[in-house]
Amino acid sequence: YQRKELVDYCQDAGIVVIAHTSLGSPSNVMSKHHKCPPLMEDPVVKKLAEKYEKQPANILLRWGIQRGTVVIPKSVTPSRILSNSDIFSFQLSSEEMDSLNALDKPGLEGCFNHPKTPWLGRSEFVEGHTDHYCNE
């Protein structure tokens, strides 16, 4: 859910963009209802993490920094907080950035937010029924 056009507009206008849920909300309680796996489990992200000997979170945070956005990862775990800062010792190539850009999931497929968001046309979540939650 990269919102490229909006980010480009803001950056052209000198507006700083802060990335929300930069890591794809891997522990979101609604994750089991999404069509796609969490970003940190994506094979492209995992392959880059292996290449650079980093965590998948580091790859996603580095992508956000190189994209020109401010990333503020949330964690309460001291070791993760420290690990999340390990993004300045490497740089992703333009091809790698393109491969991460290609992971964009427009529409509700890539949206890992709470289902009660009427501005997105979502209704009350009913356990086991996701037809109103995911773009088909």
Side-chain angles (χ1 to χ4, degrees):
Y1 210 58
Q2 299 173 17
R3 313 272 315 256
K4 181 177 175 8
E5 289 179 11
L6 178 60
V7 172
D8 288 346
Y9 173 82
C10 289
Q11 289 174 339
D12 288 346
I15 300 168
V16 176
V17 176
I18 299 173
H20 183 279
T21 60
S22 308
L23 302 177
S25 296
S27 61
N28 185 305
V29 296
M30 298 308 298
S31 292
K32 68 180 180 177
H33 298 287
H34 292 282
K35 293 179 182 179
C36 52
L39 283 174
M40 290 198 293
E41 294 176 16
D42 189 277
V44 172
V45 175
K46 290 171 86 170
K47 183 177 177 182
L48 289 171
E50 288 177 23
K51 174 184 175 181
Y52 289 104
E53 298 179 346
K54 302 291 180 188
Q55 296 298 315
N58 299 125
I59 300 303
L60 295 172
L61 295 172
R62 182 69 211 179
W63 170 83
I65 293 291
Q66 280 186 228
R67 182 184 188 212
T69 53
V70 174
V71 293
I72 305 174
K74 176 199 148 294
S75 182
V76 296
T77 309
S79 62
R80 269 199 210 121
I81 293 168
L82 182 61
S83 175
N84 285 343
S85 68
D86 187 21
I87 62 173
F88 300 104
S89 61
F90 71 103
Q91 188 164 344
L92 299 167
S93 71
S94 60
E95 294 82 15
E96 292 166 340
M97 289 292 290
D98 289 344
S99 70
L100 293 169
N101 290 339
L103 299 179
D104 191 18
K105 306 287 189 228
L108 297 182
E109 183 182 351
C111 188
F112 284 84
N113 294 321
H114 193 278
K116 290 184 184 180
T117 48
W119 57 91
L120 292 176
R122 295 185 194 158
S123 61
E124 180 84 21
F125 179 75
V126 178
E127 184 65 37
H129 300 283
T130 60
D131 56 321
H132 62 283
Y133 186 64
C134 296
N135 252 354
E136 300 296 345

